[in-house]
Amino acid sequence: MPTALITGITGQDGSYLAEFLLEKEYKVVGIVRRSSTTPYERISHLVDRIDLVSADLLDQTSLTDVVTDCRPDEIYNLAAQSFVQTSWNQPVLTGEFTALGVTRMLEAMKKAAPNARFYQASSSEMFGKVHESPQRESTPFYPRSPYGVAKVYGHWITVNYRESFALYAVSGILFNHESPRRGLEFVTRKVTDGVARIKLGLSRELRLGNLEARRDWGFAGDYVRAMWLMLQEDTPDDYVIGTGKTWSVRQLCEAAFRCVGLDYREFVVQDDRFFRPAEVDLLVADASKARDALGWVPDVSFAQLIEMMVQADLARYSAR
């Protein structure tokens, strides 16, 4: 039974990845930060099937101790301060978690499990002010937020450890991937939650920022499969993961409100408070390398994803 160590296991991607690996009969160990509360909502149905251990991306010793103790075959570094807007308010903390945290995990692996395989969660936000469309592995990075800058550091430090110490370390440059487990601060979930509240008479409007920003949105459950596939290859390499299709926030609103028979134009209000200091206007993936090398293609369409999220939010409010 192989052992997988996951940082960020309580997040959206961590929960789907844990489910996926359990189905493949892995022993799953998740790193959680010590806290007086237990924010395990996304993995509550898994806690009796996984091992949770205490460590912190800000503390090198704790990470090295965990890797030494669990002796993982695979390490998935998914933990980060992952909300772009928050990175403008907390840029230093974002750098500590999202950039230097990667180095600490790589150091722990190098010292305690050099034969393990390491996955780093890179991000399409690294492309930022894009130099070409669609974006592929060779597209230059031009990040437009402290989060994007921190992810670029995490990406390149992973490449450096791979090339300098012969570690099996890869980065998945994942474009936006969503689900009913997405945090409410992210625009897709903000929209589907808002639609549910409006449909059930709990709210009258939905305030958003830039409605013309375009993203390549896919289903998180599809994307964790790509993470695993990257670690099964003979040679470590980096891959762009996305659907290759782009949608505007306006189209997202139109699709979500359509799920409940409403016209988004009657409820959506554009609010300057939600515009970014530096906007990323268009992100769309060229995932042909992952398709050809890994055999990865997404299964869930954009329309299916939005329907899934709206229905989940409706059910959540209706159950209260």
Side-chain angles (χ1 to χ4, degrees):
M1 178 183 289
T3 297
L5 177 66
I6 304 173
T7 73
I9 195 169
T10 61
Q12 170 191 255
D13 292 7
S15 65
Y16 280 109
L17 179 61
E19 287 177 347
F20 178 85
L21 294 174
L22 286 170
E23 289 176 2
K24 292 194 169 294
E25 299 186 341
Y26 276 66
K27 176 183 178 182
V28 175
V29 181
I31 289 179
V32 294
R33 299 179 69 193
R34 188 174 298 280
S35 172
S36 58
T37 60
T38 53
Y40 300 160
E41 178 183 356
R42 296 183 182 95
I43 58 169
S44 59
H45 60 299
L46 302 175
V47 290
D48 59 342
R49 301 171 60 199
I50 61 179
D51 294 336
L52 297 177
V53 294
S54 178
D56 197 310
L57 284 182
L58 303 185
D59 182 65
Q60 182 68 65
T61 300
S62 67
L63 297 175
T64 303
D65 287 347
V66 164
V67 175
T68 300
D69 291 342
C70 78
R71 302 175 63 85
D73 299 285
E74 297 173 2
I75 300 171
Y76 296 87
N77 185 43
L78 310 184
Q81 191 301 101
S82 59
F83 186 42
V84 173
Q85 191 65 41
T86 297
S87 78
W88 287 106
N89 299 325
Q90 297 180 311
V92 176
L93 184 66
T94 298
E96 285 286 351
F97 277 112
T98 309
L100 292 178
V102 185
T103 311
R104 296 185 186 104
M105 281 305 306
L106 286 164
E107 273 293 299
M109 173 184 170
K110 180 166 72 77
K111 292 177 179 178
N115 294 321
R117 298 189 168 199
F118 181 89
Y119 172 85
Q120 165 58 17
S122 288
S123 168
S124 60
E125 288 287 333
M126 300 188 304
F127 295 121
K129 189 176 180 179
V130 297
H131 285 240
E132 62 178 354
S133 286
Q135 293 87 53
R136 51 185 63 87
E137 291 79 8
S138 59
T139 302
F141 299 138
Y142 195 142
R144 298 272 281 171
S145 66
Y147 170 77
V149 171
K151 280 294 186 182
V152 170
Y153 176 98
H155 180 88
W156 281 115
I157 200 67
T158 301
V159 172
N160 272 260
Y161 270 68
R162 176 171 74 216
E163 295 178 349
S164 301
F165 304 114
L167 299 179
Y168 193 110
V170 308
S171 289
I173 306 173
L174 271 55
F175 281 62
N176 296 66
H177 45 289
E178 318 297 319
S179 76
R181 301 177 192 174
R182 192 54 139 160
L184 287 168
E185 67 271 23
F186 290 87
V187 68
T188 48
R189 186 70 193 292
K190 183 176 180 179
V191 168
T192 62
D193 178 79
V195 166
R197 289 180 57 83
I198 289 169
K199 179 63 176 178
L200 297 173
L202 302 173
S203 182
R204 295 182 179 179
E205 65 179 19
L206 174 61
R207 291 185 169 269
L208 298 170
N210 184 8
L211 299 182
E212 309 313 322
R214 303 182 69 88
R215 294 292 184 270
D216 183 332
W217 279 301
F219 173 50
D222 287 338
Y223 287 45
V224 299
R225 174 165 44 90
M227 299 175 188
W228 177 79
L229 286 169
M230 290 179 209
L231 297 192
Q232 312 315 307
E233 292 293 290
D234 292 335
T235 304
D237 205 351
D238 305 323
Y239 297 88
V240 161
I241 302 296
T243 71
K245 298 178 181 179
T246 182
W247 307 85
S248 68
V249 176
R250 187 181 301 278
Q251 289 173 309
L252 163 65
C253 292
E254 185 177 11
F257 278 92
R258 189 189 304 123
C259 291
V260 296
L262 297 176
D263 185 340
Y264 81 97
R265 291 171 293 187
E266 297 179 14
F267 304 98
V268 173
V269 177
Q270 208 160 16
D271 190 328
D272 290 344
R273 292 177 301 165
F274 299 115
F275 279 76
R276 294 182 182 182
E279 186 58 78
V280 175
D281 296 314
L282 172 63
L283 293 174
V284 58
D286 175 358
S288 56
K289 180 179 174 181
R291 181 187 64 238
D292 296 342
L294 306 177
W296 180 86
V297 291
D299 292 331
V300 177
S301 71
F302 176 75
Q304 291 170 324
L305 170 65
I306 301 308
E307 177 75 26
M308 176 199 310
M309 294 176 67
V310 169
Q311 295 304 323
D313 280 322
L314 282 169
R316 180 170 56 89
Y317 281 112
S318 297
R320 293 183 176 180

